[in-house]
Amino acid sequence: MAQNNDSEQGIDFSLVIASSVHDMKNSVGMLLASLESVIAGSPPDNPEMAKHFSTLHYEASRINGELIELLTIYRMSQDFLPIRIDGHFVVDILEEQIARNHVLMQTGGVSFEMDCDPNMSWYFDHDLVGSVIHNVIVNCVRYTKNRIAICAEMENDYLKLSIADNGEGYPNEMLVNPGHFVEATEINSGSTNLGLYFAEKIAAYHKQDNRVGYIKLSNGGPLGGGVFSIFLP
């Protein structure tokens, strides 16, 4: 009976997939940068063209974000995700993510507002929390009507970062269990909730004494739509 050559060679397919995801992430990142350069050099001069640019930019940003999430979750599963919790000014990370998504919001006709004390500081992993905020902003651009509001405040000794929009809000099943990863056999909406699963895992990496970070979804909020919040102890 023929033997499996892959088994003989000891190929770790999880590592192969992770390496492929890393390469795809870099390629999509280059594509996204090129697209932003094209948009900056040749701004859309009519609503139809602006819509096409917005769709292209959103899809590229979404794919890039999901590839980063997959790679990060793989590193978590292998216990080699570096966690660098340090002191940061909160306004810096919010402004970075707003700037990172400026073109996306501009082409999508989305305005934003931010409420954050410039002197507020907290301890968290800058890159990981930044990825969560980025992914939520990208998602909000897809579902909002035309506004996004970002707020940083203290609540019960947690840093609470909230991102709200004026869209239709979150479905009830997501409000009950926001971090639930939907497996292929359960999918009926076209979404696995990977982004929320990722956000919940990142929040939980932030711990202090007996307190652990978490996420929360709600509807209503300052703009009447969905509100994503991450709480960091």
Side-chain angles (χ1 to χ4, degrees):
M1 183 173 60
Q3 293 183 342
N4 188 315
N5 290 332
D6 293 340
S7 297
E8 288 180 351
Q9 297 172 17
I11 293 177
D12 182 348
F13 275 99
S14 65
L15 182 58
V16 171
I17 292 173
S19 298
S20 298
V21 168
H22 185 271
D23 289 342
M24 287 188 286
K25 174 185 70 68
N26 290 341
S27 295
V28 175
M30 292 177 62
L31 174 64
L32 194 54
S34 297
L35 178 59
E36 291 179 350
S37 179
V38 170
I39 294 174
S42 304
D45 54 9
N46 62 73
E48 184 177 359
M49 184 61 69
K51 183 177 180 180
H52 285 317
F53 274 156
S54 177
T55 300
L56 286 172
H57 199 289
Y58 164 74
E59 292 296 345
S61 297
R62 182 182 63 83
I63 293 171
N64 190 58
E66 290 191 354
L67 290 173
I68 292 173
E69 290 169 355
L70 286 172
L71 198 56
T72 303
I73 291 171
Y74 170 76
R75 288 171 175 163
M76 289 178 186
S77 70
Q78 300 299 308
D79 293 325
F80 61 78
L81 177 68
I83 306 295
R84 303 183 180 90
I85 295 180
D86 204 351
H88 302 282
F89 283 106
V90 178
V91 70
D92 289 343
I93 190 173
L94 299 182
E95 289 182 341
E96 284 178 19
Q97 300 312 315
I98 290 172
R100 181 179 178 185
N101 289 286
H102 174 72
V103 176
L104 177 62
M105 290 189 282
Q106 186 178 48
T107 56
V110 177
S111 64
F112 70 90
E113 54 197 75
M114 183 175 69
D115 181 10
C116 178
D117 183 341
N119 296 314
M120 177 184 284
S121 62
W122 204 248
Y123 285 84
F124 52 84
D125 186 300
H126 181 279
D127 292 337
L128 294 179
V129 174
S131 292
V132 171
I133 296 171
H134 165 70
N135 294 334
V136 174
I137 290 176
V138 171
N139 190 65
C140 284
V141 170
R142 167 66 177 82
Y143 291 103
T144 189
K145 293 177 182 176
N146 54 17
R147 295 175 65 194
I148 294 175
I150 302 175
C151 176
E153 59 187 329
M154 298 303 303
E155 184 173 304
N156 298 325
D157 293 327
Y158 281 78
L159 170 64
K160 177 184 177 183
L161 304 177
S162 299
I163 305 172
D165 62 57
N166 65 340
E168 297 300 321
Y170 291 103
N172 289 333
E173 60 270 20
M174 292 178 68
L175 297 176
V176 175
N177 193 1
H180 172 61
F181 180 73
V182 182
E183 297 183 6
T185 54
E186 301 178 66
I187 294 176
N188 55 25
S189 63
S191 173
T192 62
N193 287 358
L194 176 64
L196 294 173
Y197 174 81
F198 171 79
E200 186 173 71
K201 292 296 183 182
I202 295 305
Y205 266 97
H206 292 76
K207 303 175 182 179
Q208 186 181 55
D209 299 328
N210 61 342
R211 297 182 302 151
V212 180
Y214 63 96
I215 65 171
K216 180 181 178 181
L217 303 182
S218 60
N219 288 328
L223 301 182
V227 183
F228 168 92
S229 299
I230 181 169
F231 294 78
L232 304 174

